[in-house]
Amino acid sequence: MNFDAVVSYLRELNFVTMVLRFLVAGLCGAVIGYSRGRLQRPAGFRTHVLVCVGAASTVIVSQFCVNELGINGDALRVPAQVISGIGFLGAGSILVTGKYRNHITGLTTAAGLWASACMGLAAGAGYYECAIMMCVVIYAALVPLFKLDTNYVKTLHSMTLYVEVDANARLSGAMCALNADGMLLNTIEPFGSSGGDYTSYKIEVELLDRNLQPEQAMERIRSIEMVQFAQRIEA
């Protein structure tokens, strides 16, 4: 069996290729979801896997209805609705925060969900190389390009952080320490799970000192005595 015959077989819709399409969709979604889950994003590992596999299933079912059941209709009609329908998940991940409600987070997560759905459509259609290439590009945009974007493209005036502080610590002490370091605590809310010796929060910090770089700000936050762990949450 030559290469062209193998490719032609993989483009067909049968049980083997159906399983392969779901595997490609699930793995690609898992790669993107893992990168988001590590940053404590609302749409993480399982969400991206489900979105990608669900999008793939719409293409597979549509092809089956047209090719196997002989149902007259446009095989792309149902998959096309995924592009617009995924918007409700994206909208749920976008948050407006800040003292004056002028700081928006979650846009990157929403865009990642939309791109993951498109990636699932490609996998469901049997266009494996497109799905894998999309996975590589999306991952590169979310992980390596994040530092380039924040350090050289954007001029940040605020940061959203995940922090773990001593369980018995007074937050007023942390606020005073931040103010002394040229930062202002805008919002704070319980976030994620907490252990016996620490409490976790999601906070938004405004950089009052315009010359203060994000990495410098992170070093100052981590140096606060009551802070056990601190990590930036990207948009």
Side-chain angles (χ1 to χ4, degrees):
M1 182 179 292
N2 57 34
F3 178 76
D4 291 338
V6 173
V7 172
S8 178
Y9 173 77
L10 292 177
R11 303 295 189 205
E12 297 175 1
L13 180 60
N14 53 58
F15 180 77
V16 174
T17 58
M18 179 190 69
V19 173
L20 181 60
R21 293 179 189 188
F22 278 130
L23 286 176
V24 171
L27 289 174
C28 290
V31 171
I32 306 303
Y34 177 74
S35 69
R36 305 303 291 168
R38 289 186 61 190
L39 294 174
Q40 304 290 328
R41 300 312 297 159
F45 182 81
R46 292 181 298 170
T47 303
H48 281 78
V49 171
L50 290 173
V51 166
C52 203
V53 171
S57 70
T58 64
V59 183
I60 294 173
V61 172
S62 296
Q63 288 184 347
F64 178 81
C65 290
V66 173
N67 298 338
E68 302 297 329
L69 301 182
I71 299 176
N72 295 327
D74 185 0
L76 297 179
R77 181 175 300 174
V78 175
Q81 303 307 310
V82 173
I83 303 302
S84 58
I86 198 65
F88 82 94
L89 280 178
S93 67
I94 299 175
L95 300 175
V96 181
T97 60
K99 183 177 181 180
Y100 301 105
R101 309 296 292 173
N102 59 354
H103 184 60
I104 300 175
T105 62
L107 289 176
T108 303
T109 297
L113 282 173
W114 183 84
S116 294
C118 296
M119 182 169 60
L121 292 176
Y127 200 178
Y128 309 106
E129 54 269 43
C130 177
I132 294 173
M133 182 56 64
M134 285 185 67
C135 180
V136 172
V137 174
I138 296 171
Y139 184 84
L142 293 176
V143 182
L145 293 184
F146 170 63
K147 292 185 178 180
L148 174 66
D149 186 33
T150 55
N151 293 335
Y152 299 101
V153 179
K154 292 180 180 178
T155 302
L156 287 182
H157 298 312
S158 63
M159 299 189 305
T160 303
L161 310 174
Y162 167 77
V163 297
E164 296 176 358
V165 301
D166 294 341
N168 299 322
R170 291 182 177 272
L171 295 180
S172 58
M175 295 174 64
C176 293
L178 289 173
N179 290 337
D181 286 331
M183 292 173 280
L184 175 66
L185 182 62
N186 272 341
T187 61
I188 182 169
E189 59 182 272
F191 190 72
S193 58
S194 298
D197 59 343
Y198 71 89
T199 305
S200 57
Y201 296 96
K202 178 180 179 181
I203 67 174
E204 182 186 301
V205 176
E206 183 177 351
L207 306 184
L208 301 178
D209 183 357
R210 301 307 183 188
N211 296 321
L212 185 63
Q213 297 298 315
E215 292 303 321
Q216 295 174 324
M218 288 301 303
E219 291 178 4
R220 295 183 182 182
I221 292 171
R222 292 189 179 110
S223 66
I224 298 175
E225 184 177 357
M226 67 185 66
V227 175
Q228 298 185 12
F229 176 80
Q231 181 177 3
R232 283 179 58 188
I233 301 177
E234 61 179 287

mmCIF file of all heavy atoms in Angstrom, residues 132-142 145:
data_model
loop_
_atom_site.group_PDB
_atom_site.id
_atom_site.type_symbol
_atom_site.label_atom_id
_atom_site.label_comp_id
_atom_site.label_asym_id
_atom_site.label_seq_id
_atom_site.Cartn_x
_atom_site.Cartn_y
_atom_site.Cartn_z
ATOM 1 N N ILE A 132 -3.214 19.442 13.425
ATOM 2 C CA ILE A 132 -1.943 19.402 14.153
ATOM 3 C C ILE A 132 -1.192 20.713 13.993
ATOM 4 O O ILE A 132 -0.605 21.231 14.958
ATOM 5 C CB ILE A 132 -1.090 18.215 13.660
ATOM 6 C CG1 ILE A 132 -1.779 16.890 14.027
ATOM 7 C CG2 ILE A 132 0.305 18.267 14.265
ATOM 8 C CD1 ILE A 132 -1.109 15.664 13.447
ATOM 9 N N MET A 133 -1.189 21.275 12.784
ATOM 10 C CA MET A 133 -0.510 22.552 12.569
ATOM 11 C C MET A 133 -1.187 23.668 13.371
ATOM 12 O O MET A 133 -0.514 24.531 13.948
ATOM 13 C CB MET A 133 -0.510 22.906 11.083
ATOM 14 C CG MET A 133 0.232 24.206 10.757
ATOM 15 S SD MET A 133 1.950 24.212 11.331
ATOM 16 C CE MET A 133 2.625 22.885 10.331
ATOM 17 N N MET A 134 -2.526 23.644 13.420
ATOM 18 C CA MET A 134 -3.246 24.632 14.240
ATOM 19 C C MET A 134 -2.860 24.495 15.709
ATOM 20 O O MET A 134 -2.685 25.499 16.409
ATOM 21 C CB MET A 134 -4.753 24.459 14.081
ATOM 22 C CG MET A 134 -5.330 24.959 12.774
ATOM 23 S SD MET A 134 -7.140 24.837 12.764
ATOM 24 C CE MET A 134 -7.576 26.045 14.023
ATOM 25 N N CYS A 135 -2.725 23.268 16.170
ATOM 26 C CA CYS A 135 -2.351 23.027 17.564
ATOM 27 C C CYS A 135 -0.988 23.652 17.862
ATOM 28 O O CYS A 135 -0.805 24.304 18.896
ATOM 29 C CB CYS A 135 -2.326 21.526 17.842
ATOM 30 S SG CYS A 135 -1.874 21.089 19.530
ATOM 31 N N VAL A 136 -0.041 23.479 16.946
ATOM 32 C CA VAL A 136 1.309 24.034 17.129
ATOM 33 C C VAL A 136 1.259 25.559 17.170
ATOM 34 O O VAL A 136 1.861 26.198 18.044
ATOM 35 C CB VAL A 136 2.253 23.565 16.002
ATOM 36 C CG1 VAL A 136 3.593 24.277 16.079
ATOM 37 C CG2 VAL A 136 2.460 22.054 16.078
ATOM 38 N N VAL A 137 0.523 26.147 16.223
ATOM 39 C CA VAL A 137 0.459 27.614 16.144
ATOM 40 C C VAL A 137 -0.267 28.207 17.346
ATOM 41 O O VAL A 137 0.172 29.216 17.927
ATOM 42 C CB VAL A 137 -0.224 28.049 14.829
ATOM 43 C CG1 VAL A 137 -0.425 29.554 14.806
ATOM 44 C CG2 VAL A 137 0.600 27.609 13.622
ATOM 45 N N ILE A 138 -1.395 27.591 17.745
ATOM 46 C CA ILE A 138 -2.151 28.096 18.890
ATOM 47 C C ILE A 138 -1.319 28.010 20.162
ATOM 48 O O ILE A 138 -1.275 28.952 20.964
ATOM 49 C CB ILE A 138 -3.476 27.329 19.060
ATOM 50 C CG1 ILE A 138 -4.395 27.567 17.858
ATOM 51 C CG2 ILE A 138 -4.189 27.747 20.346
ATOM 52 C CD1 ILE A 138 -5.626 26.674 17.844
ATOM 53 N N TYR A 139 -0.647 26.884 20.352
ATOM 54 C CA TYR A 139 0.198 26.728 21.539
ATOM 55 C C TYR A 139 1.315 27.764 21.551
ATOM 56 O O TYR A 139 1.619 28.351 22.601
ATOM 57 C CB TYR A 139 0.786 25.317 21.584
ATOM 58 C CG TYR A 139 1.596 25.038 22.826
ATOM 59 C CD1 TYR A 139 0.984 24.628 24.000
ATOM 60 C CD2 TYR A 139 2.980 25.211 22.829
ATOM 61 C CE1 TYR A 139 1.724 24.384 25.150
ATOM 62 C CE2 TYR A 139 3.727 24.972 23.970
ATOM 63 C CZ TYR A 139 3.099 24.556 25.124
ATOM 64 O OH TYR A 139 3.831 24.321 26.253
ATOM 65 N N ALA A 140 1.915 28.002 20.387
ATOM 66 C CA ALA A 140 2.989 29.002 20.306
ATOM 67 C C ALA A 140 2.478 30.394 20.642
ATOM 68 O O ALA A 140 3.159 31.190 21.295
ATOM 69 C CB ALA A 140 3.608 28.993 18.907
ATOM 70 N N ALA A 141 1.247 30.694 20.219
ATOM 71 C CA ALA A 141 0.677 32.016 20.494
ATOM 72 C C ALA A 141 0.362 32.182 21.975
ATOM 73 O O ALA A 141 0.462 33.291 22.516
ATOM 74 C CB ALA A 141 -0.593 32.217 19.666
ATOM 75 N N LEU A 142 0.000 31.095 22.643
ATOM 76 C CA LEU A 142 -0.396 31.172 24.047
ATOM 77 C C LEU A 142 0.778 31.111 25.010
ATOM 78 O O LEU A 142 0.719 31.705 26.094
ATOM 79 C CB LEU A 142 -1.377 30.047 24.381
ATOM 80 C CG LEU A 142 -2.745 30.108 23.711
ATOM 81 C CD1 LEU A 142 -3.559 28.867 24.064
ATOM 82 C CD2 LEU A 142 -3.496 31.359 24.133
ATOM 83 N N LEU A 145 4.866 33.215 22.882
ATOM 84 C CA LEU A 145 4.612 34.598 22.502
ATOM 85 C C LEU A 145 4.038 35.434 23.633
ATOM 86 O O LEU A 145 3.955 36.662 23.519
ATOM 87 C CB LEU A 145 3.666 34.648 21.296
ATOM 88 C CG LEU A 145 4.229 34.098 19.979
ATOM 89 C CD1 LEU A 145 3.227 34.290 18.856
ATOM 90 C CD2 LEU A 145 5.550 34.768 19.626
#
